[in-house]
Each structure stands twice: as C-alpha cells, then as structure tokens.
Amino acid sequence: MKKILQILLLSIGLTGCSSLVLEPVSSSQDEAQRILSLGLTHAENLIEASKLKDNHSVTVVTGQLIKAENDKNKAVIDKVNISIYAENVKVISGDSEVKFEGLQMSESKRVGMLDEFDYQDYFLKGLKDKNTGLIQHQLHLALKYTWSQRKNYSSASFCDVWQGCKNEEKIGITLISSNASACTPTDCDYTEIMELNLSDDFLRDNMEEGFSVSFNSKKSSNKITIASDYLKGYLKIAN
C-alpha cells in the first residue's frame, strides 16, 4: 500500500511538472541585436542595456554593444583609407602591358641598444599582360641601415599570426641593387633594394586580414606588414 502511494505521488508530481511552460531565455547576443535594431545612438544603446534584469546580462550585452560600435567605426575608417590608397595607385599603360604601383609606405625599426635604426620603404607593384590578362605582383622593399658590413638579404618568409616568422619556409627574393655610401673606418650607409613575387590569388585570398613577410639575412630580419585596407585599395585599381 505504501509503495502504491509513493508511485501515485510521483505520478502527480511529474504531471505537474509537465504542465509548466518554460519561458524562452534570450541570449546576450539576441539582446544586443534587439537593442541595435532599435536604431538608437550608441549612448542610448548603452542605456537600454542597463535596463536588463541582471548585472551579468548588463555586462555582457554592454560589451557586445561596444564591440559593435568599434567595428562600425573601424569600417568607416577602413573605407576612407581604402579610397586614399586606391587614389594613390599609379597606373602606366603601355602597348602590351599595364604597370601598377601602390603608395610607398615608410617605417623605421630600432636596432641594438643605441639610437640606431633600419629604415624600410615598401610598396606593392604589379604588371598586367594585356594579351593574356595575367597579372603578377611584387612587394618592393628598400632597406637602409648604417652598419659595419653589408647584411646581404637573401630570402623571405611569410609570417604566421600565431607562430611568427622564424619557423616558416624560406622563399627566394630578387635583389635589385645593393649600395654603400658615406663610409667611415667603422661603418657605411647601406641600401639594399629587393622584391618578392606575389600571385594575384595570394593577394586576393589575404584581402580581409592582410599579411606579413619577413625579409631575412644571416645577420638580421625585417618584418613588413601589408594591412588589409592598403591591400584592398591597391587591388581596387590593380585588376
């Protein structure tokens, strides 16, 4: 009898549970999208987020709203930069080919413990065959430095975002020129100009993230980064 009563009570409890309707729980992402769809200003979005029922939701949704605002602002800046880079691509059209030359970028890299710098001038360039439509690109780099001897850059390697550049496969480069000037008994001012061939497919595959390349000698290496907006602006013209 006692066992039957226990079964009866358990059945009544299960029946009661089955009659409950669970309210759908909106994820933080859904809440953020709901607020963004209201068409409010960023400040007003944050006020809406502060009205959520618990502090955890407020914190998470606020973070997503701030990220969305930052992404929107970055997209606006990138669009302006892409337009500027595209406007500065030089185009030279010949009888059988078209040459493209992107805007030159200049950077300095501090080396050693003293105020010594490597100076890096680089840009993308391309050559399109009018008859076949094929286009080949190069990353053109001029390295300027003052040192006791020439560094003799001889290879390049693409950099992995996680692993860096050192363990990547070495690729051959084309040395355009190598000059020394203003020599003293201890050092000279050196300029090494080189190019790395890049396929059109490679550039287009990396349009969204950009890419980095390390130019290597036995004595040092120099990392060059082509940003996404620069690459998009160049390819907008070089096609």
Side-chain angles (χ1 to χ4, degrees), residues 86-203:
E87 290 172 359
N88 282 277
V89 175
K90 299 176 184 177
V91 181
I92 303 173
S93 182
D95 294 336
S96 60
E97 61 187 24
V98 183
K99 296 180 180 179
F100 306 97
E101 186 175 302
L103 180 66
Q104 177 174 291
M105 309 296 289
S106 298
E107 298 173 348
S108 61
K109 171 190 173 185
R110 187 170 183 169
V111 294
M113 300 298 293
L114 303 176
D115 289 333
E116 299 174 349
F117 293 86
D118 284 357
Y119 296 93
Q120 308 176 157
D121 298 330
Y122 59 92
F123 56 87
L124 289 176
K125 57 183 288 191
L127 181 66
K128 182 177 182 178
D129 189 307
K130 287 185 175 181
N131 296 320
T132 64
L134 296 177
I135 182 169
Q136 179 67 45
H137 307 275
Q138 292 85 32
L139 173 54
H140 180 98
L141 171 64
L143 286 174
K144 305 172 185 177
Y145 56 91
T146 301
W147 216 44
S148 59
Q149 55 185 308
R150 196 186 316 272
K151 295 183 180 179
N152 294 319
Y153 288 84
S154 58
S155 69
S157 50
F158 293 108
C159 304
D160 182 271
V161 66
W162 303 112
Q163 302 297 327
C165 315
K166 290 184 178 180
N167 297 326
E168 299 302 308
E169 178 185 359
K170 298 296 189 294
I171 304 167
I173 60 175
T174 301
L175 181 64
I176 305 300
S177 64
S178 180
N179 300 311
S181 62
C183 292
T184 71
T186 58
D187 56 43
C188 290
D189 293 338
Y190 292 100
T191 300
E192 295 190 55
I193 300 177
M194 62 208 78
E195 290 182 347
L196 172 65
N197 287 330
L198 301 168
S199 70
D200 195 57
D201 287 342
F202 172 83
L203 293 187

Side-chain angles (χ1 to χ4, degrees), residues 49-64:
S50 69
K51 298 176 183 177
L52 297 176
K53 61 184 179 180
D54 62 85
N55 291 335
H56 177 71
S57 296
V58 171
T59 300
V60 175
V61 172
T62 297
Q64 292 180 345

Side-chain angles (χ1 to χ4, degrees), residues 37-92:
S37 68
L38 298 176
L40 305 174
T41 65
H42 179 55
E44 291 170 335
N45 286 342
L46 297 181
I47 292 173
E48 284 296 313
S50 69
K51 298 176 183 177
L52 297 176
K53 61 184 179 180
D54 62 85
N55 291 335
H56 177 71
S57 296
V58 171
T59 300
V60 175
V61 172
T62 297
Q64 292 180 345
L65 292 174
I66 291 173
K67 182 180 184 303
E69 181 69 9
N70 290 340
D71 289 345
K72 183 180 72 173
N73 291 337
K74 183 180 183 302
V76 172
I77 294 172
D78 286 349
K79 185 176 181 180
V80 172
N81 288 341
I82 290 169
S83 178
I84 292 172
Y85 289 131
E87 290 172 359
N88 282 277
V89 175
K90 299 176 184 177
V91 181
I92 303 173

